[in-house]
Every structure is written in structure tokens, then in C-alpha cells.
Amino acid sequence: MRMYDLIMKKRNGFSLSKEEIDEMIQAYTKGEIPDYQMSAMMMAIYFRGMNEEETLALTMAMAHSGEMMDLSAIQGVKVDKHSTGGVGDKTSIALTPMVAACGVKVAKMSGRGLGHTGGTIDKLESFPGFSTGISEEHFFRQVNEIGVSIMGQTLDLAPADKKLYALRDVTATVDNMSLIASSIMSKKLASGADAIVLDVKTGSGAFMKQEEDAFALAKEMVRIGNGAGRKTYALITDMDQPLGNAVGNILEVKEAIDTLRGEGPEDFTELCFALGSKMLLAAGKAENDSEARKLLQEAVASGRALDKLKEFVHAQGGDENYVSHPEQFPVAKYIYQVSSPEEGYIAGITCDEIGICSLILGGGRETKDSEIDLSVGLVLEQKKGAYVKKGDLLATFHANDEQKLQCAVERFLKAYTFSKEPVEKEKLIKGMI
């Protein structure tokens, strides 16, 4: 195989074979193909596209470029859930114990936050002593015994994706549906779950700003997952405003606990039930959405879901007493209320700006080495469609630095727009693939 010939083949609009893609990805991972040639290939793919067979072949080649997680030591169907990321997305903290309380095994690998979207691991580490740096043996044993575990990525999963993404990031070739879908799904397939439920977000706080792009990505990823023999569902969900009310690590953990008590925000609770229903269906635990939803509602109402969170936190070294007594979590030095500057209906909230407000306060990372302040963030009191008078409470800020607080509040107020006419609320769940 000559890389030159493959570049020319794709440049001229022809399809690459599975064998050609396999050999190309293996050689690039080993360092046998230089970046300048792979950059040319990425640009050729960007303009010429890839068909379904090529996209699946690329995904599988990247998945097999490193270690593949073998979950066969865990009994039963293993289900994973992946979100494309957003603001206030604490879903895994409430959803995974909810699903495990219904008897479905959740074996999940998660990451830390970078930029305006928070990371599941950072939020879980709000519990004193909690660790995701557990061994594979611990991970397998825990899922078998209590039905749920979330660990940090320890294996060298999909190293080809890491190399390719870094290259695409600096060559303006990120924004291609086949390349985006294969990047996400290669890591999910390498993680070893039998079934995958995807939460593909769309709106101002999401990677996919346009709804049609989110649907296209969801279809592509579901096609890849099913083509790889994994039962795969995708929900396309709204991220034009933060999910739930809390944005910030400890604040989001508290909201997840409230939700497991049956007292969470309506939109966040609904998303947990919608995603959880698909996870139960994928595992064969329910025959339809209605039956699955009833099982999840019962797990919450009976207290079993909350108890499962306690088990989960304890099993990974955390202090489970914080689940029963969330008032023990550290509280920020400054609690500041932000009032509405005008009267009217809230017409819009620039969602990513709300995430940046939390980042400014210290609740996120500007770089991978940034220290996170787990106690800071904000809680929204009014969201899109609500009618407010001038001076009504819009949000409560939690901060430990007055200068950062002032900067975040100024930015926050610019994120809200108002209308004299009633505003229709966005649908939380746009569709399902």
C-alpha cells in the first residue's frame, strides 16, 4: 500500500476498501505514515465524504488501534451511555444508579471536563474519598456485585483517534460527519459495552449547534453501533439552555441527589427517564418505553435508586453519608443573587455562556492542568419562556473570589434576552434514532 495512491483515490471520489483503511490506520498509529500525508487524506475525506461501509471500517480500525476492553467477566448485558456534552449535564450521576436499581449492569468509562462543559469524574470527586482510578479487577467485581461502576480511562483506548483528532484540530477538518461519528464511536466500541445509548445534544451549549446536524450525527453513530453488533439508540436533546438548574460540580451533584429523591427539576428528571428507558430496553429488561419508565419511576419512588447511589459512592471509596446529608458539602464563601434587569418573557439563554460563567468562577478547566474549585457555580431560578418582572431573581451565584464573581455576573446578564411577547419553550427531546 502506498499512502500517495490512497490519497489520490479518495481525492478523486472513489471509496477506500476495509483492507486499505485498516492498513492505513495501523501504519499511522505506528508512526509509519507522516502527518502531512494523513492531513491530505483528512482533507480529501472532508471534501469527498465517506460512505457507510467506509465510515464503519474507519471506526472499527480506530477502535482496534489500541487495547479493547473485555467485559466478559461481567455477567449479563452491559449497557453504556454517552453524551456529546453540554452545560449542567450531570446525567450520569443520577441515571446510572437509577438504571442499576432496575437490575441492568452499567459499566462506564468517563472523563474530566475541559472548557465550558463539566466532566463526570470531577463531579463524582465532590464526594470526599471517591476515586475513579480503580483497577479493572475492582471495576468488574463492582459491576457484578452492585450493578454499576464508573472508572477513568486507564487503557490505551483508540490511540489512532487521539492522533487523528489532534491532526484534524489544526487542519480545519474536524467538521465532517463521518470523522466526528467514527471518533466518538471508536472509543465507545473499544470500551466493550454490549449496548450503547447516546445523548446527542443540539443548541447553543452543544457541539452540534444545528438540529439537522445533530440528527445526522445521531443516525451515523447508530448505524455504526448497530453495524458493529452493538444495540444502539440515540436521543437528540435540547441544549439551548442548561440542563436542570445547577451548573457547577457540587451544585450539580446536589441536584442529582434531589432527582433520585424525586425532587429534581422537571427537564432533568424527564431526560433521565427517557435515556434510562432506552437502557432498559437495550438490556432486555423491559418490552417497551412505558414499561421501562414505570420500572425507573418505581426505583426512584421506593428509594432504591438513592440507595444504589450510596452503594456506588461507598464502593469507590467515597463518603456515602454525603448522599443522605448533602448539606455537608463545602459551600462557597459568597452567595450572590442576580436580579432581572428588565420585565418580560425570557426569550433565550446563550447556553455556552452560562457554562463559561461557571468556568470563570473556577468551576472548570481552561487547560488540562487547571485546578477546579468544586464549590462554585450558579443555580438558575428562571429559564426560557418564564415571565419575570424587573428585579425578580434570575440566578444565585456561588463564588470564592469577588473579582471572578463580578466578571461572571456581567457575562451572565449578557446571556439572557427578553421579549414582550410570550415565548414557546423548546422541546427537551427532539427525536429518537
Side-chain angles (χ1 to χ4, degrees), residues 94-131:
L95 176 63
T96 54
M98 212 182 271
V99 170
C102 294
V104 172
K105 301 287 175 63
V106 185
K108 183 166 174 51
M109 299 182 84
S110 287
R112 297 188 181 278
L114 187 61
H116 75 273
T117 59
T120 298
I121 288 179
D122 299 315
K123 292 166 192 175
L124 285 169
E125 287 180 351
S126 298
F127 292 104
F130 190 97
S131 173

Side-chain angles (χ1 to χ4, degrees), residues 6 8-16 48-49 51 54:
L6 296 188
M8 187 165 65
K9 185 178 181 181
K10 177 48 71 177
R11 184 202 69 184
N12 292 341
F14 295 100
S15 299
L16 301 176
R48 289 296 191 172
N51 62 30
E54 286 177 293

Side-chain angles (χ1 to χ4, degrees), residues 396-413:
T396 303
F397 275 64
H398 297 245
N400 285 316
D401 182 296
E402 285 188 274
Q403 193 173 351
K404 289 178 180 178
L405 173 61
Q406 185 180 350
C407 181
V409 169
E410 286 175 11
R411 193 143 186 169
F412 172 82
L413 288 170

Side-chain angles (χ1 to χ4, degrees), residues 10 14-22 49-61 178 182 220 223-224 227-228:
K10 177 48 71 177
F14 295 100
S15 299
L16 301 176
S17 71
K18 180 183 182 304
E19 291 70 29
E20 287 170 334
I21 291 171
D22 283 345
M50 298 184 99
N51 62 30
E52 291 178 26
E53 290 75 20
E54 286 177 293
T55 305
L56 177 59
L58 176 63
T59 307
M60 296 307 292
S178 290
S182 60
E220 196 72 53
R223 197 157 40 219
I224 290 169

Side-chain angles (χ1 to χ4, degrees), residues 90 93 126-127 246 248-261 263-265 322-323 325-332 375 398:
K90 72 286 294 179
I93 300 167
S126 298
F127 292 104
N249 297 282
I250 284 174
L251 298 173
E252 290 186 42
V253 168
K254 287 180 173 180
E255 191 162 88
I257 292 169
D258 285 344
T259 303
L260 291 175
R261 286 177 171 156
E263 301 164 0
Y322 281 70
V323 177
H325 301 283
E327 68 277 4
Q328 292 181 330
F329 282 112
V331 177
S375 67
H398 297 245

